[in-house]
């Protein structure tokens, strides 16, 4: 506006001068007038450019730029923001923990449900086949052990024994097994059932059977099977034990152990309890030994050709000194008892019955500790063993003489089993 206004004034002034010059009789060139106007326009533009920033600065200072915030006020805001961030972080972490806790609870609930469904399926199958299986020899012998309604328990421990092993049995009664009223109290209060498992002689009712009857009358700790005792019949005996036990006791686990193995009951129960919510559990010291084809050897396998070429190894299975299976697996054995193949070695037989199923194999090395000093070292370090024996003897060597020594060095203490919470 300034430059235009100035040009107008100049044009008006030039027009007046022209008139005056005309009046004086003098003429002015058009080029001169044009140059004069251009110079006036440039001068006005320069004037406008110099004055505009000052107006802009003044406007920004009053309208666009806020007042400077004091330093203390800024620090307070920064502290407040930091505290808010820390609060939000802790809140998120707390929520994360809550979420993870819920996830774990859900996972445990799913596992429990899976086990329940598996157990119900097995019980349904058992009910459907009860009439058939009751006709199979050895499943339901006439015995005081039999009950139409299974008794609730946590674990049934079957100690495999023979007619000639009375001293071994006494060595267990004097150490880890308990006897008399204590044994009954353990079963009633803790749901821990312990029995010596034995069949009958080739001459039922003979002197051997009468000796077992007398011993059972004294201690009340036998589980009798309709089975002819013999070393080469151990696979059949194992099958019958699980098949019979599951019909008498409704337990979470069933354990087989030899009568020359030292066991810490409290540690055994605690170890089993960790797997209580999982279905189809097979627990023991897993191994894969050689298949022995040579006759005359202690663990000779007559059916070695079934395992491939000579020199092959067995599939992984729990060593026979001690192992445990869950209820659904014991029920499975009971249902299918008549058609389960039995190999020469009973631990191999059990492994073969389970290898084709959806079974979780738990390799629990505390179930195969050595005798002192090994189990003593572990005990002193706070790592108590579930079971101890000597591999070279497939049990505690000279167990009648040595069981008390092993118990004294590696035992958990008499109160341990009573302090386990199930």
């Amino acid at each position: 506006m300034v430059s235009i206004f100035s040009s107008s004034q100049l044009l008006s002034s030039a027009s007046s001068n022209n008139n005056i010059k005309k009046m004086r009789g003098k003429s002015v060139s058009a080029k001169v007038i044009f140059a004069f106007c251009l110079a006036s326009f440039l001068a006005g533009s320069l004037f406008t450019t110099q004055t505009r920033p000052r107006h802009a600065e003044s406007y920004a200072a009053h309208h666009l730029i806020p007042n400077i915030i004091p330093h203390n006020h800024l620090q307070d805001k920064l502290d407040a923001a930091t505290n808010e961030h820390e609060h939000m972080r802790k809140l998120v972490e707390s929520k994360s923990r809550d979420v993870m806790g819920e996830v774990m609870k859900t996972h445990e609930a799913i596992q429990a449900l899976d086990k329940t469904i598996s157990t119900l399926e097995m019980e349904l199958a058992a009910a459907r086949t009860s009439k058939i299986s009751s006709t199979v020899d050895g499943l339901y012998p006439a015995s005081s052990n039999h009950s139409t309604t299974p008794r609730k328990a946590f674990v049934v421990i079957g100690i495999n024994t023979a007619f000639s092993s009375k001293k071994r049995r006494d060595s267990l009664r004097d150490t880890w097994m308990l006897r008399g009223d204590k044994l009954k109290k353990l079963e009633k209060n803790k749901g821990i059932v312990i029995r010596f498992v034995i069949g009958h002689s080739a001459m039922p009712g003979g002197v051997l059977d009468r000796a077992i009857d007398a011993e059972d009358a004294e201690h009340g700790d036998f589980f009798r099977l309709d089975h002819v005792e013999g070393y080469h019949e151990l696979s059949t005996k194992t099958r019958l034990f699980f098949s019979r036990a599951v019909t008498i006791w409704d337990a979470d686990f069933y354990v087989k152990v030899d009568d020359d193995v030292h066991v810490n009951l409290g540690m055994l129960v605690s170890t089993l309890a960790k797997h209580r919510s999982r279905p189809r559990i097979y627990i023991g010291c897993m191994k894969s030994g050689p298949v022995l084809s040579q006759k005359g050897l202690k663990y000779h396998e007559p059916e070695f050709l079934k395992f491939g070429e000579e020199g092959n190894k067995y599939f992984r299975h729990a060593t026979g000194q001690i192992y445990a299976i869950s209820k659904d697996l014991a029920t499975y054995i009971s249902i299918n008892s008549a058609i389960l193949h039995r190999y020469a070695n009973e631990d191999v037989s059990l492994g073969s019955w389970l290898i084709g199923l959806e079974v979780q194999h738990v390799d629990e090395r505390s179930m195969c500790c050595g005798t002192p000093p090994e189990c003593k070292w572990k005990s002193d370090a706070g790592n108590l063993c579930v079971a101890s024996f000597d591999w070279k003897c497939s049990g505690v060597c000279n167990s009648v003489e040595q069981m008390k020594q092993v118990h004294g060095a590696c035992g958990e203490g008499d109160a341990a089993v009573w302090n386990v919470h199930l």
Side-chain angles (χ1 to χ4, degrees):
M1 290 296 290
V2 175
S3 60
I4 296 173
F5 179 77
S6 299
S7 301
S8 300
Q9 287 180 330
L10 291 171
L11 287 172
S12 178
S13 174
S15 179
S16 300
N17 290 335
N18 286 338
N19 292 334
I20 294 171
K21 289 179 179 179
K22 285 180 180 180
M23 289 176 63
R24 294 178 177 176
K26 296 180 181 179
S27 62
V28 179
S29 171
K31 292 182 178 180
V32 175
I33 296 173
F34 177 77
F36 186 81
C37 291
L38 181 60
S40 299
F41 175 80
L42 293 174
S45 298
L46 180 61
F47 176 80
T48 303
T49 303
Q50 291 176 342
T51 57
R52 185 174 296 159
R54 284 192 290 269
H55 291 291
E57 291 172 2
S58 176
Y59 179 85
H62 289 85
H63 300 283
L64 299 180
I65 302 177
N67 293 330
I68 298 175
I69 302 174
H71 173 75
N72 292 339
H73 188 50
L74 277 174
Q75 186 63 45
D76 292 343
K77 283 195 170 185
L78 179 60
D79 293 342
T82 302
N83 292 336
E84 181 67 18
H85 175 269
E86 184 67 17
H87 173 71
M88 292 299 294
R89 184 184 65 79
K90 291 181 179 179
L91 185 62
V92 170
E93 289 179 353
S94 175
K95 293 293 182 182
S96 298
R97 286 193 294 269
D98 292 343
V99 170
M100 289 305 298
E102 292 300 320
V103 169
M104 291 300 296
K105 289 180 182 178
T106 303
H107 180 64
E108 291 173 358
I110 291 173
Q111 286 185 330
L113 182 60
D114 189 17
K115 181 177 181 179
T116 300
I117 292 173
S118 177
T119 301
L120 290 175
E121 287 174 345
M122 286 295 184
E123 289 177 349
L124 179 60
R128 287 173 176 171
T129 59
S130 59
K131 290 184 179 180
I132 298 175
S133 60
S134 64
T135 64
V136 179
D137 180 49
L139 284 184
Y140 296 98
S143 168
S144 59
N145 285 320
H146 179 61
S147 173
T148 56
T149 303
R151 301 190 290 272
K152 191 65 180 175
F154 173 70
V155 60
V156 176
I157 303 171
I159 305 174
N160 204 14
T161 192
F163 290 113
S164 60
S165 299
K166 184 179 186 306
K167 290 184 178 180
R168 283 189 179 184
R169 291 191 290 272
D170 285 339
S171 71
L172 299 193
R173 293 181 180 118
D174 292 338
T175 54
W176 64 263
M177 180 180 168
L178 306 183
R179 64 165 77 209
D181 292 338
K182 289 183 178 181
L183 188 65
K184 294 178 181 179
K185 183 180 178 181
L186 189 67
E187 181 175 338
K188 180 180 179 180
N189 295 352
K190 292 294 184 178
I192 302 172
V193 179
I194 309 176
R195 297 285 190 278
F196 287 109
V197 181
I198 196 167
H200 56 75
S201 66
M203 299 283 293
V207 62
L208 295 178
D209 295 298
R210 290 197 301 270
I212 294 297
D213 291 339
E215 191 176 342
D216 191 19
E218 179 183 357
H219 299 285
D221 54 9
F222 277 90
F223 183 44
R224 308 295 295 275
L225 298 176
D226 187 12
H227 161 72
V228 178
E229 281 293 320
Y231 178 79
H232 296 293
E233 298 297 326
L234 290 178
S235 293
T236 299
K237 186 175 182 178
T238 298
R239 173 179 65 87
L240 291 177
F241 163 63
F242 288 125
S243 298
R244 287 277 289 116
V246 79
T247 66
I248 298 173
W249 292 283
D250 178 15
D252 291 322
F253 295 96
Y254 300 82
V255 174
K256 177 262 174 181
V257 59
D258 289 340
D259 62 3
D260 56 352
V261 172
H262 180 269
V263 176
N264 280 320
L265 287 174
M267 284 302 301
L268 173 62
V269 172
S270 298
T271 300
L272 296 177
K274 296 176 184 177
H275 305 282
R276 195 173 193 175
S277 63
R278 301 177 183 176
R280 300 178 298 280
I281 292 291
Y282 174 32
I283 308 174
C285 288
M286 299 296 165
K287 66 174 185 177
S288 181
V291 180
L292 302 179
S293 58
Q294 184 178 348
K295 291 184 178 180
L297 296 177
K298 183 177 181 180
Y299 299 112
H300 167 62
E301 178 58 73
E303 298 181 83
F304 64 91
L305 289 176
K306 286 187 175 181
F307 299 93
E309 299 297 327
E310 187 174 346
N312 277 1
K313 290 186 176 182
Y314 289 113
F315 42 79
R316 285 183 69 76
H317 60 280
T319 186
Q321 285 84 353
I322 180 172
Y323 48 73
I325 61 174
S326 53
K327 175 186 176 181
D328 38 13
L329 296 183
T331 305
Y332 170 83
I333 292 171
S334 178
I335 294 171
N336 299 284
S337 180
I339 60 173
L340 294 176
H341 187 71
R342 294 174 292 282
Y343 292 100
N345 301 300
E346 54 94 10
D347 52 356
V348 172
S349 294
L350 178 64
S352 71
W353 302 338
L354 306 180
I355 196 170
L357 307 179
E358 285 291 340
V359 174
Q360 182 178 355
H361 290 57
V362 178
D363 186 14
E364 181 54 66
R365 306 314 295 181
S366 68
M367 294 176 75
C368 54
C369 295
T371 53
E374 180 184 337
C375 59
K376 180 66 166 58
W377 293 337
K378 292 184 177 181
S379 176
D380 292 342
N383 300 316
L384 281 168
C385 295
V386 171
S388 300
F389 56 88
D390 299 301
W391 285 103
K392 63 181 180 180
C393 300
S394 297
V396 176
C397 295
N398 302 316
S399 63
V400 174
E401 294 79 16
Q402 298 298 322
M403 191 60 69
K404 285 187 177 181
Q405 177 187 344
V406 175
H407 186 66
C410 306
E412 62 192 351
D414 296 339
V417 68
W418 303 103
N419 294 328
V420 175
H421 297 287
L422 299 174

